Each structure stands twice: as C-alpha cells, then as structure tokens.
Amino acid sequence: DRKRKLKDAISEGKAIPTELRGEERNLRKKLDLTDSRTEVAKTHVDDEYAFAGIKDPRVLVTTSRDPSTRLIAFAKELKLLFPTAQRVNRGAYIIKDLVHLCRTNEITDLVIVHEHRGEPDGMIISHLPYGPTAYFGLNDVVLRHDLPEKPDNMSEVAPHL
C-alpha cells in the first residue's frame, strides 16, 4: 500500500505524502527492484514452479576471481552436468553484477565454485530471483582428467525426456 502511494505520487508528479517521507529511500529501492513479474505478490511455490514444463531452467556456472586451471576445468565439468548451463569467465565482476546479469538474461540459477590453493573446495548454488541459496563444501575433488582410465567424452546434447 505504501509502495503504491509512493509510485502514484511519483508518476503524477505530486509531492510525496508526509507519512512516507521517513521511509522514502527504502520504498524507492523496493520500487526499483519491482518489475512486471514481481509487481503482484506471489508465494515462493508459485514463483519456483511458474514455468515448469514450459521453459527449461537456465544455469550460469562461474568461478571465483582469478581461478586456477584446475578450477576452470572443474567449472567446465559442472557445465556438462546441467544440460542448459552456460559457463562465464568471472573476470572482475562482483556478485551483485553477476546477479544483475543473470536477472536481465532470465537465468534461473547461479552456480559459483571456489578454490583454496588450486583445489575446488566450495560451491554456491542460488536460485534466482529470490533464492534459496545453498553453500556446499567440496572435499577430495577428482576431475575426469585425473582418472587413471580416461572416460569417453560426454555428449552436450540436451536430453529428450
């Protein structure tokens, strides 16, 4: 109700109502985050499964900053696990910019892998736009390259279910 009053005042070019002046900054931030999909309040169940069976989920896989070659290889292998995944070199992007990039390109999930001294040791998976977000610790990661018997190449064709 308060957001609607502020939005109406801004769109009509009127002065901001006195009862909203103290919270104007916070309400403006919320209005900036509101778009056509989030204008009407929905439950997390509605949002989570809104496009199930209609659109495939899109996953973005990226690494921490300045990744080692081993972490890059691990990110490439993760990309093969998710049929519609894309891998992006992180570069100097901060998390806020990555999330903004995902939201503007309708990416449903963000996966960030971390390392410690060249060994992959953590993975953050976040469902966009509102979560949930989970952190997973990784131990003793063995890449396909490290296996004594080399496995066949994985197909990158999306499965037909």
Side-chain angles (χ1 to χ4, degrees), residues 5-78:
K5 285 181 183 178
L6 181 65
K7 185 177 179 182
D8 291 342
I10 292 171
S11 64
E12 295 170 7
K14 294 182 179 178
I16 295 168
T18 54
E19 68 267 14
L20 299 178
R21 290 200 179 149
E23 351 172 23
E24 176 189 1
R25 177 178 283 168
N26 290 335
L27 289 174
R28 279 185 186 264
K29 284 182 184 176
K30 289 180 183 177
L31 277 176
D32 289 343
L33 296 175
T34 304
D35 59 6
S36 61
R37 291 187 299 179
T38 59
E39 204 164 27
V40 178
K42 298 179 183 177
T43 66
H44 69 282
V45 174
D46 293 336
D47 192 47
E48 180 82 23
Y49 299 107
F51 298 111
I54 299 170
K55 285 173 44 177
D56 289 333
R58 294 182 62 200
V59 180
L60 180 77
V61 179
T62 189
T63 62
S64 57
R65 288 188 176 166
D66 193 25
S68 66
T69 55
R70 190 164 169 77
L71 188 66
I72 292 172
F74 181 65
K76 286 179 182 177
E77 289 186 20
L78 270 181

Coordinates of all heavy atoms in Angstrom, one line a residue, residues 5-78:
K5 N 1.3 4.1 -3.0 CA 1.1 5.5 -2.8 C 2.3 6.3 -3.3 O 2.2 7.3 -4.0 CB 0.9 5.8 -1.3 CG -0.4 5.5 -0.8 CD -0.5 5.9 0.7 CE -1.8 5.5 1.3 NZ -1.9 5.8 2.8
L6 N 3.5 5.8 -3.0 CA 4.7 6.5 -3.5 C 4.8 6.4 -5.0 O 5.1 7.4 -5.7 CB 6.0 5.8 -2.9 CG 7.3 6.5 -3.3 CD1 7.4 7.9 -2.8 CD2 8.5 5.6 -2.7
K7 N 4.5 5.3 -5.6 CA 4.5 5.1 -7.0 C 3.5 6.1 -7.7 O 3.8 6.7 -8.7 CB 4.2 3.7 -7.4 CG 4.3 3.4 -8.9 CD 4.1 1.9 -9.1 CE 4.1 1.6 -10.6 NZ 3.8 0.2 -10.8
D8 N 2.3 6.2 -7.1 CA 1.3 7.1 -7.7 C 1.8 8.6 -7.6 O 1.6 9.3 -8.6 CB 0.0 6.9 -7.0 CG -0.7 5.6 -7.3 OD1 -0.3 5.0 -8.2 OD2 -1.6 5.2 -6.5
A9 N 2.4 8.9 -6.5 CA 2.9 10.3 -6.3 C 4.0 10.6 -7.3 O 4.0 11.7 -7.9 CB 3.4 10.5 -4.9
I10 N 4.9 9.7 -7.5 CA 6.0 9.9 -8.5 C 5.5 10.0 -9.9 O 5.9 10.9 -10.7 CB 7.0 8.8 -8.3 CG1 7.8 8.9 -7.0 CG2 8.1 8.9 -9.5 CD1 8.7 7.7 -6.7
S11 N 4.5 9.1 -10.3 CA 4.1 9.1 -11.6 C 3.2 10.3 -12.0 O 3.2 10.8 -13.1 CB 3.3 7.8 -11.9 OG 2.1 7.8 -11.1
E12 N 2.5 10.8 -11.0 CA 1.7 12.0 -11.2 C 2.4 13.3 -11.0 O 1.9 14.4 -11.2 CB 0.5 12.0 -10.3 CG -0.5 10.8 -10.6 CD -1.6 10.6 -9.6 OE1 -1.7 11.5 -8.7 OE2 -2.3 9.6 -9.7
G13 N 3.7 13.2 -10.5 CA 4.5 14.4 -10.3 C 4.1 15.2 -9.1 O 4.4 16.4 -9.0
K14 N 3.4 14.6 -8.1 CA 3.0 15.3 -6.9 C 4.0 15.2 -5.9 O 5.0 14.4 -5.9 CB 1.7 14.6 -6.4 CG 0.5 14.8 -7.4 CD -0.8 14.2 -6.8 CE -2.0 14.4 -7.7 NZ -3.2 13.8 -7.1
A15 N 3.8 15.9 -4.8 CA 4.7 15.8 -3.6 C 4.5 14.5 -2.9 O 3.4 14.0 -2.9 CB 4.4 17.0 -2.7
I16 N 5.6 14.0 -2.3 CA 5.5 12.7 -1.6 C 4.7 12.9 -0.3 O 4.9 13.9 0.4 CB 6.9 12.2 -1.3 CG1 7.6 11.9 -2.6 CG2 6.9 11.0 -0.4 CD1 9.0 11.7 -2.5
P17 N 3.7 12.1 0.0 CA 2.9 12.2 1.2 C 3.8 12.3 2.4 O 4.8 11.6 2.5 CB 2.0 10.9 1.2 CG 2.0 10.5 -0.3 CD 3.3 10.9 -0.8
T18 N 3.3 13.1 3.4 CA 4.1 13.3 4.6 C 4.4 12.0 5.4 O 5.4 11.9 6.0 CB 3.5 14.3 5.5 OG1 2.1 13.9 5.8 CG2 3.5 15.7 4.8
E19 N 3.4 11.1 5.4 CA 3.6 9.9 6.2 C 4.6 9.0 5.6 O 5.1 8.0 6.2 CB 2.3 9.1 6.4 CG 1.7 8.5 5.1 CD 0.7 9.5 4.4 OE1 0.6 10.7 4.7 OE2 0.0 9.0 3.5
L20 N 5.0 9.2 4.3 CA 6.0 8.3 3.7 C 7.4 9.0 3.6 O 8.4 8.3 3.2 CB 5.6 8.0 2.2 CG 4.3 7.3 2.1 CD1 3.9 7.1 0.6 CD2 4.3 5.9 2.8
R21 N 7.6 10.2 4.0 CA 8.9 10.9 3.9 C 10.0 10.2 4.6 O 11.1 10.2 4.1 CB 8.7 12.3 4.3 CG 7.9 13.1 3.2 CD 8.1 14.5 3.3 NE 7.3 15.1 2.2 CZ 6.7 16.3 2.3 NH1 6.9 17.1 3.4 NH2 6.0 16.7 1.3
G22 N 9.7 9.6 5.8 CA 10.8 9.0 6.5 C 11.3 7.7 5.9 O 12.4 7.3 6.0
E23 N 10.4 7.0 5.2 CA 10.7 5.7 4.6 C 10.9 5.8 3.1 O 11.0 4.8 2.4 CB 9.7 4.6 4.9 CG 8.7 5.0 5.8 CD 7.6 3.9 5.9 OE1 7.8 2.7 5.6 OE2 6.5 4.3 6.4
E24 N 11.0 7.0 2.5 CA 11.0 7.2 1.1 C 12.2 6.4 0.4 O 12.0 5.8 -0.6 CB 11.1 8.7 0.7 CG 11.2 8.9 -0.7 CD 11.5 10.4 -1.1 OE1 11.6 11.2 -0.1 OE2 11.6 10.6 -2.3
R25 N 13.4 6.5 1.0 CA 14.6 5.9 0.4 C 14.4 4.4 0.3 O 14.7 3.8 -0.7 CB 15.8 6.3 1.3 CG 17.0 5.6 0.7 CD 18.3 5.9 1.5 NE 18.7 7.3 1.1 CZ 19.5 8.0 1.7 NH1 20.1 7.5 2.8 NH2 19.9 9.2 1.3
N26 N 13.9 3.8 1.4 CA 13.7 2.3 1.3 C 12.7 1.9 0.3 O 12.8 0.9 -0.4 CB 13.4 1.8 2.7 CG 14.6 1.8 3.7 OD1 15.7 1.9 3.2 ND2 14.3 1.9 5.0
L27 N 11.6 2.7 0.3 CA 10.5 2.4 -0.6 C 10.9 2.5 -2.1 O 10.6 1.8 -3.0 CB 9.3 3.2 -0.3 CG 8.5 2.9 0.9 CD1 7.4 3.9 1.2 CD2 7.9 1.5 0.9
R28 N 11.8 3.6 -2.3 CA 12.3 3.8 -3.7 C 13.2 2.6 -4.1 O 13.1 2.2 -5.3 CB 13.1 5.1 -3.8 CG 12.2 6.3 -4.0 CD 13.1 7.5 -4.2 NE 12.3 8.7 -4.2 CZ 11.9 9.3 -5.3 NH1 12.1 8.8 -6.5 NH2 11.1 10.4 -5.3
K29 N 14.0 2.1 -3.2 CA 14.8 0.9 -3.5 C 13.9 -0.3 -3.9 O 14.2 -1.0 -4.9 CB 15.7 0.5 -2.3 CG 16.9 1.4 -2.2 CD 17.7 1.0 -1.0 CE 18.9 1.9 -0.8 NZ 19.7 1.5 0.4
K30 N 12.8 -0.5 -3.1 CA 11.9 -1.6 -3.4 C 11.2 -1.4 -4.7 O 11.0 -2.3 -5.5 CB 10.9 -1.8 -2.3 CG 11.5 -2.3 -1.0 CD 10.5 -2.4 0.1 CE 11.2 -2.9 1.4 NZ 10.2 -3.0 2.5
L31 N 10.9 -0.1 -5.0 CA 10.2 0.2 -6.3 C 11.2 -0.1 -7.5 O 10.7 -0.6 -8.5 CB 9.7 1.6 -6.4 CG 8.4 1.9 -5.7 CD1 8.1 3.4 -5.8 CD2 7.3 1.1 -6.4
D32 N 12.5 0.2 -7.3 CA 13.4 -0.1 -8.4 C 13.6 -1.5 -8.6 O 13.8 -1.9 -9.8 CB 14.8 0.5 -8.0 CG 14.8 2.1 -8.0 OD1 13.9 2.6 -8.7 OD2 15.7 2.7 -7.4
L33 N 13.4 -2.4 -7.6 CA 13.5 -3.8 -7.8 C 12.2 -4.5 -8.3 O 12.3 -5.6 -8.8 CB 13.9 -4.5 -6.5 CG 15.2 -4.1 -5.9 CD1 15.4 -4.7 -4.5 CD2 16.4 -4.5 -6.8
T34 N 11.2 -3.7 -8.4 CA 9.9 -4.2 -8.8 C 9.8 -4.2 -10.3 O 10.2 -3.2 -10.9 CB 8.7 -3.4 -8.2 OG1 8.8 -3.4 -6.8 CG2 7.4 -4.0 -8.6
D35 N 9.4 -5.3 -10.9 CA 9.2 -5.3 -12.4 C 7.9 -6.0 -12.6 O 7.1 -6.3 -11.7 CB 10.4 -6.0 -13.1 CG 10.6 -7.5 -12.7 OD1 9.8 -8.0 -11.9 OD2 11.5 -8.1 -13.1
S36 N 7.6 -6.3 -13.9 CA 6.3 -6.8 -14.2 C 6.0 -8.2 -13.6 O 4.9 -8.6 -13.3 CB 6.1 -6.9 -15.8 OG 7.1 -7.8 -16.3
R37 N 7.1 -9.0 -13.4 CA 6.9 -10.3 -12.8 C 6.8 -10.2 -11.3 O 6.2 -11.1 -10.7 CB 8.1 -11.2 -13.1 CG 8.1 -11.6 -14.6 CD 9.2 -12.6 -14.8 NE 10.5 -12.1 -14.5 CZ 11.6 -12.7 -14.6 NH1 11.6 -13.9 -15.0 NH2 12.8 -12.1 -14.3
T38 N 7.3 -9.2 -10.6 CA 7.3 -9.1 -9.2 C 6.3 -8.1 -8.6 O 6.2 -7.9 -7.4 CB 8.7 -8.8 -8.6 OG1 9.1 -7.5 -9.2 CG2 9.7 -9.9 -9.0
E39 N 5.5 -7.5 -9.5 CA 4.6 -6.5 -9.1 C 3.5 -7.1 -8.2 O 3.1 -6.5 -7.2 CB 4.0 -5.8 -10.3 CG 3.5 -4.4 -10.1 CD 3.2 -3.7 -11.4 OE1 3.0 -4.3 -12.4 OE2 3.3 -2.4 -11.3
V40 N 3.0 -8.2 -8.6 CA 1.9 -8.9 -7.9 C 2.6 -9.9 -6.9 O 3.4 -10.7 -7.3 CB 0.9 -9.6 -8.8 CG1 -0.1 -10.3 -8.0 CG2 0.3 -8.6 -9.8
A41 N 2.2 -9.8 -5.6 CA 2.8 -10.7 -4.7 C 2.4 -12.2 -5.0 O 1.3 -12.5 -5.2 CB 2.3 -10.3 -3.3
K42 N 3.4 -13.0 -4.9 CA 3.2 -14.4 -5.2 C 3.9 -15.2 -4.1 O 4.8 -14.7 -3.4 CB 3.9 -14.9 -6.5 CG 3.3 -14.2 -7.7 CD 4.0 -14.7 -9.0 CE 3.5 -14.0 -10.2 NZ 4.2 -14.5 -11.4
T43 N 3.5 -16.5 -3.9 CA 4.2 -17.3 -2.9 C 5.4 -17.9 -3.6 O 5.5 -17.9 -4.8 CB 3.3 -18.4 -2.4 OG1 3.0 -19.3 -3.5 CG2 2.0 -17.9 -1.9
H44 N 6.4 -18.4 -2.8 CA 7.6 -19.0 -3.4 C 7.2 -20.2 -4.2 O 7.9 -20.5 -5.1 CB 8.5 -19.3 -2.2 CG 8.1 -20.5 -1.4 ND1 7.2 -20.3 -0.4 CD2 8.5 -21.8 -1.4 CE1 7.0 -21.5 0.2 NE2 7.7 -22.3 -0.4
V45 N 6.1 -20.9 -3.9 CA 5.8 -22.1 -4.7 C 5.3 -21.7 -6.1 O 5.7 -22.3 -7.1 CB 4.6 -22.9 -4.0 CG1 4.1 -24.0 -4.8 CG2 5.1 -23.4 -2.6
D46 N 4.5 -20.6 -6.2 CA 4.1 -20.1 -7.5 C 5.3 -19.7 -8.3 O 5.4 -20.0 -9.5 CB 3.2 -18.9 -7.3 CG 1.8 -19.3 -6.7 OD1 1.5 -20.5 -6.8 OD2 1.2 -18.4 -6.1
D47 N 6.2 -19.0 -7.7 CA 7.4 -18.4 -8.4 C 8.3 -19.6 -8.8 O 8.9 -19.6 -9.9 CB 8.1 -17.4 -7.6 CG 9.1 -16.6 -8.4 OD1 8.8 -16.2 -9.5 OD2 10.2 -16.5 -7.9
E48 N 8.6 -20.5 -7.9 CA 9.5 -21.6 -8.1 C 9.1 -22.4 -9.3 O 9.9 -22.8 -10.2 CB 9.6 -22.5 -6.9 CG 10.6 -23.6 -7.0 CD 12.0 -23.2 -6.7 OE1 12.2 -22.2 -6.1 OE2 12.9 -23.9 -7.2
Y49 N 7.9 -22.7 -9.5 CA 7.4 -23.7 -10.5 C 6.6 -23.0 -11.6 O 5.8 -23.7 -12.3 CB 6.6 -24.8 -9.9 CG 7.5 -25.6 -8.9 CD1 7.3 -25.5 -7.5 CD2 8.5 -26.4 -9.3 CE1 8.1 -26.2 -6.6 CE2 9.3 -27.1 -8.4 CZ 9.1 -27.0 -7.1 OH 9.9 -27.7 -6.2
A50 N 6.7 -21.7 -11.7 CA 5.8 -21.0 -12.6 C 6.0 -21.4 -14.1 O 5.1 -21.5 -14.8 CB 6.1 -19.5 -12.5
F51 N 7.2 -21.8 -14.4 CA 7.5 -22.2 -15.8 C 7.9 -23.6 -16.0 O 8.5 -24.0 -17.0 CB 8.6 -21.3 -16.4 CG 8.2 -19.8 -16.5 CD1 8.8 -18.9 -15.6 CD2 7.2 -19.4 -17.3 CE1 8.5 -17.6 -15.7 CE2 6.9 -18.1 -17.4 CZ 7.5 -17.1 -16.5
A52 N 7.6 -24.5 -15.0 CA 7.9 -25.9 -15.0 C 7.2 -26.5 -16.2 O 6.0 -26.4 -16.3 CB 7.6 -26.6 -13.7
G53 N 7.9 -27.2 -17.0 CA 7.4 -27.9 -18.2 C 7.2 -26.9 -19.4 O 6.9 -27.4 -20.5
I54 N 7.3 -25.6 -19.2 CA 7.2 -24.7 -20.3 C 8.5 -24.2 -20.8 O 8.8 -24.3 -21.9 CB 6.3 -23.5 -19.8 CG1 4.9 -23.9 -19.4 CG2 6.2 -22.4 -20.9 CD1 4.1 -22.9 -18.7
K55 N 9.4 -23.8 -19.8 CA 10.7 -23.3 -20.2 C 11.7 -24.1 -19.3 O 11.5 -24.4 -18.2 CB 10.9 -21.8 -19.8 CG 10.2 -20.9 -20.7 CD 10.2 -19.5 -20.3 CE 11.4 -18.9 -19.8 NZ 11.4 -17.5 -19.5
D56 N 12.8 -24.5 -20.0 CA 13.9 -25.2 -19.3 C 14.6 -24.2 -18.4 O 14.8 -23.0 -18.7 CB 14.9 -25.8 -20.3 CG 14.3 -27.0 -21.0 OD1 13.4 -27.6 -20.4 OD2 14.7 -27.3 -22.1
P57 N 15.1 -24.7 -17.2 CA 15.9 -23.8 -16.4 C 17.2 -23.4 -17.1 O 17.8 -24.2 -17.8 CB 16.1 -24.6 -15.1 CG 15.9 -26.0 -15.5 CD 14.9 -26.0 -16.6
R58 N 17.7 -22.2 -16.8 CA 19.0 -21.8 -17.4 C 19.9 -21.6 -16.2 O 19.6 -20.9 -15.3 CB 18.8 -20.5 -18.2 CG 17.9 -20.7 -19.4 CD 17.8 -19.4 -20.2 NE 19.1 -19.0 -20.7 CZ 19.4 -17.8 -21.1 NH1 18.4 -16.9 -21.1 NH2 20.6 -17.5 -21.5
V59 N 21.1 -22.2 -16.3 CA 22.1 -22.2 -15.3 C 23.3 -21.5 -15.7 O 23.8 -21.7 -16.8 CB 22.4 -23.6 -14.8 CG1 23.4 -23.6 -13.7 CG2 21.2 -24.4 -14.4
L60 N 23.9 -20.6 -14.9 CA 25.1 -19.9 -15.2 C 26.2 -20.5 -14.2 O 26.0 -20.4 -13.0 CB 25.0 -18.4 -15.0 CG 26.3 -17.6 -15.3 CD1 26.4 -17.5 -16.8 CD2 26.2 -16.3 -14.7
V61 N 27.2 -21.0 -14.7 CA 28.3 -21.5 -13.9 C 29.5 -20.6 -14.1 O 29.9 -20.3 -15.2 CB 28.7 -23.0 -14.4 CG1 29.9 -23.5 -13.6 CG2 27.6 -23.9 -14.3
T62 N 30.1 -20.2 -12.9 CA 31.2 -19.3 -12.9 C 32.1 -19.7 -11.8 O 31.8 -20.5 -10.9 CB 30.8 -17.8 -12.9 OG1 32.0 -17.0 -13.2 CG2 30.2 -17.4 -11.6
T63 N 33.3 -19.0 -11.7 CA 34.3 -19.3 -10.7 C 34.5 -18.1 -9.8 O 34.0 -17.1 -10.0 CB 35.6 -19.7 -11.4 OG1 36.1 -18.6 -12.1 CG2 35.5 -20.9 -12.3
S64 N 35.4 -18.3 -8.8 CA 35.8 -17.2 -8.0 C 36.8 -16.4 -8.9 O 37.2 -16.8 -10.0 CB 36.5 -17.7 -6.8 OG 37.6 -18.6 -7.1
R65 N 37.2 -15.3 -8.4 CA 38.1 -14.4 -9.2 C 39.5 -15.1 -9.3 O 39.9 -15.8 -8.4 CB 38.3 -13.1 -8.5 CG 37.1 -12.2 -8.6 CD 37.4 -10.9 -8.1 NE 36.3 -10.0 -8.3 CZ 36.1 -8.8 -7.7 NH1 37.1 -8.4 -6.9 NH2 35.1 -8.1 -8.0
D66 N 40.1 -14.8 -10.5 CA 41.5 -15.4 -10.8 C 41.6 -16.9 -10.5 O 42.3 -17.3 -9.6 CB 42.5 -14.6 -9.9 CG 43.9 -14.9 -10.5 OD1 44.1 -15.2 -11.6 OD2 44.9 -14.7 -9.7
P67 N 40.8 -17.7 -11.2 CA 40.8 -19.1 -10.9 C 42.0 -19.8 -11.5 O 42.7 -19.4 -12.4 CB 39.6 -19.6 -11.7 CG 39.5 -18.6 -12.8 CD 39.9 -17.3 -12.3
S68 N 42.4 -20.9 -10.8 CA 43.4 -21.8 -11.3 C 42.9 -22.6 -12.5 O 41.7 -22.7 -12.7 CB 43.9 -22.7 -10.2 OG 42.9 -23.6 -9.9
T69 N 43.8 -23.2 -13.2 CA 43.4 -24.1 -14.4 C 42.6 -25.2 -13.9 O 41.7 -25.7 -14.6 CB 44.6 -24.6 -15.2 OG1 45.5 -25.3 -14.3 CG2 45.4 -23.4 -15.8
R70 N 42.9 -25.7 -12.7 CA 42.1 -26.9 -12.1 C 40.6 -26.4 -11.8 O 39.7 -27.2 -12.1 CB 42.8 -27.4 -10.9 CG 42.3 -28.6 -10.4 CD 43.3 -29.2 -9.4 NE 42.7 -30.3 -8.6 CZ 42.5 -31.6 -9.1 NH1 42.9 -31.8 -10.4 NH2 42.0 -32.5 -8.4
L71 N 40.5 -25.2 -11.3 CA 39.1 -24.8 -11.0 C 38.4 -24.5 -12.3 O 37.2 -24.8 -12.4 CB 39.1 -23.5 -10.2 CG 37.8 -23.0 -9.7 CD1 37.2 -24.0 -8.7 CD2 37.9 -21.7 -9.0
I72 N 39.0 -24.0 -13.3 CA 38.4 -23.8 -14.6 C 37.9 -25.1 -15.2 O 36.8 -25.2 -15.7 CB 39.3 -23.0 -15.6 CG1 39.6 -21.6 -15.1 CG2 38.8 -23.0 -17.0 CD1 40.6 -20.9 -15.9
A73 N 38.8 -26.1 -15.1 CA 38.4 -27.5 -15.6 C 37.2 -28.0 -14.8 O 36.3 -28.6 -15.4 CB 39.6 -28.4 -15.5
F74 N 37.2 -27.8 -13.5 CA 36.0 -28.2 -12.7 C 34.8 -27.5 -13.1 O 33.7 -28.1 -13.2 CB 36.3 -28.0 -11.2 CG 35.2 -28.4 -10.3 CD1 34.9 -29.8 -10.2 CD2 34.5 -27.5 -9.5 CE1 33.9 -30.2 -9.4 CE2 33.5 -27.9 -8.7 CZ 33.2 -29.3 -8.6
A75 N 34.8 -26.2 -13.4 CA 33.7 -25.5 -13.8 C 33.2 -26.0 -15.2 O 32.0 -26.1 -15.4 CB 34.0 -24.0 -13.9
K76 N 34.1 -26.4 -16.1 CA 33.7 -26.9 -17.4 C 33.0 -28.3 -17.2 O 32.0 -28.6 -17.9 CB 34.9 -27.1 -18.3 CG 35.5 -25.9 -18.8 CD 36.7 -26.1 -19.7 CE 37.3 -24.8 -20.2 NZ 38.5 -25.0 -21.0
E77 N 33.5 -29.1 -16.2 CA 32.8 -30.3 -16.0 C 31.4 -30.1 -15.3 O 30.5 -30.9 -15.6 CB 33.7 -31.2 -15.1 CG 34.9 -31.7 -15.8 CD 35.7 -32.7 -14.9 OE1 35.2 -33.3 -14.0 OE2 36.9 -32.9 -15.3
L78 N 31.3 -29.1 -14.5 CA 30.0 -28.8 -13.9 C 29.0 -28.4 -15.0 O 27.8 -28.7 -15.0 CB 30.1 -27.7 -12.9 CG 30.3 -28.1 -11.5 CD1 30.4 -26.8 -10.6 CD2 29.3 -29.0 -11.0

